[in-house]
Amino acid sequence: MRFDLLALSAFAPLVAAHGAVTSYIIGGTTYPGYEGFSPASSPKTIQFQWPNYDPTMNVGDAKMRCNGGTSAQLSATVQAGSNVTAIWKQWTHEQGPVQVWMFKCPGAFGASCKGDGKGWFKIDEMGMWGGKLNSANWGTALIVKNLKWSSEIPRNLAPGNYLIRHELLALHQANTPQFYAECAQIVVQGSGSAVPPSDYLYSIPTYAPQNDPGVTVDIYMSKATTYTPPGGRVWSGFQF
């Protein structure tokens, strides 16, 4: 009997080749992230500490926000209009979108800035291109290749304390979406005054329903030639 290896891969068990953001490059400075496999050796970091590399499987899970992390000891200063680059030590899944979100803290970092409420806005994303779901034409394929992702902080974003959240959604297993998200604390500087309109703001978790087509798509069986990442539109920083 001949088996279709491609079809079988849709039902393969979860594997251990997961990943997470482990450092950031901001303004030419490298900021170490959290070392989930060796927490005792982790330095002080701008990143919310997370417990493991395991994926979050449901958009309503509390781990969706920052992979279970709730606090960090440090923060990094970034000029509006400059880039934040996230670094992964490993990533193996080529099919899925990359999304980058921010959240403006109501005050100081700490207990009052954990990302609660409808305040998250998307500043960057890359889904699929080329019209073929079962391909390497995905944002996460670029992570496999480069192990980094750079996003520009909106040029006219109002200064203040923010969380930045990098999310990879792995779609290589049919009907088994795997979310990997980490958060870090940044202080945005600049002379801008822009804030995202309310229709760009979301709560995390639950920025999209579990049955959102961008979450449930079967890249092996679907005939779709386009893909829309879950969670609404990217906000470029312009006022409307």
Side-chain angles (χ1 to χ4, degrees), residues 18-187:
H18 304 322
V21 177
T22 52
S23 62
Y24 301 84
I25 300 174
I26 302 173
T29 298
T30 298
Y31 295 86
Y34 184 58
E35 295 289 347
F37 287 147
S38 183
S41 65
S42 294
K44 290 183 178 181
T45 174
I46 67 173
Q47 189 180 57
F48 278 16
Q49 295 188 356
W50 37 268
N52 53 53
Y53 286 113
D54 295 340
T56 304
M57 314 298 288
N58 191 293
V59 294
D61 191 319
K63 281 189 67 183
M64 266 293 291
R65 184 181 296 167
C66 299
N67 193 19
T70 59
S71 64
Q73 297 167 304
L74 304 176
S75 61
T77 299
V78 57
Q79 190 71 26
S82 64
N83 286 352
V84 171
T85 300
I87 306 294
W88 287 257
K89 284 188 175 178
Q90 64 176 40
W91 184 254
T92 61
H93 307 310
E94 290 187 318
Q95 292 82 29
V98 178
Q99 301 192 80
V100 184
W101 297 74
M102 292 182 68
F103 179 94
K104 192 173 193 305
C105 302
F109 294 118
S112 66
C113 188
K114 296 183 180 295
D116 295 327
K118 192 176 180 181
W120 290 94
F121 56 98
K122 192 188 300 185
I123 65 164
D124 192 13
E125 69 175 15
M126 181 173 285
M128 180 200 73
W129 68 93
K132 188 176 181 181
L133 290 168
N134 183 21
S135 70
N137 297 334
W138 288 90
T140 52
L142 298 180
I143 303 293
V144 172
K145 179 181 179 180
N146 301 314
L147 292 177
K148 63 182 179 180
W149 191 268
S150 293
S151 301
E152 181 182 282
I153 303 301
R155 293 179 178 274
N156 57 340
L157 181 66
N161 295 335
Y162 288 84
L163 303 180
I164 188 166
R165 174 183 180 272
H166 289 82
E167 176 194 301
L168 307 184
L169 170 53
L171 297 171
H172 61 287
Q173 291 187 282
N175 302 310
T176 312
Q178 300 178 31
F179 296 89
Y180 300 81
E182 287 80 40
C183 299
Q185 298 181 161
I186 58 173
V187 180

Side-chain angles (χ1 to χ4, degrees), residues 206-218:
T206 67
Y207 70 60
Q210 186 70 15
N211 63 356
D212 185 289
V215 175
T216 60
V217 63
D218 183 334

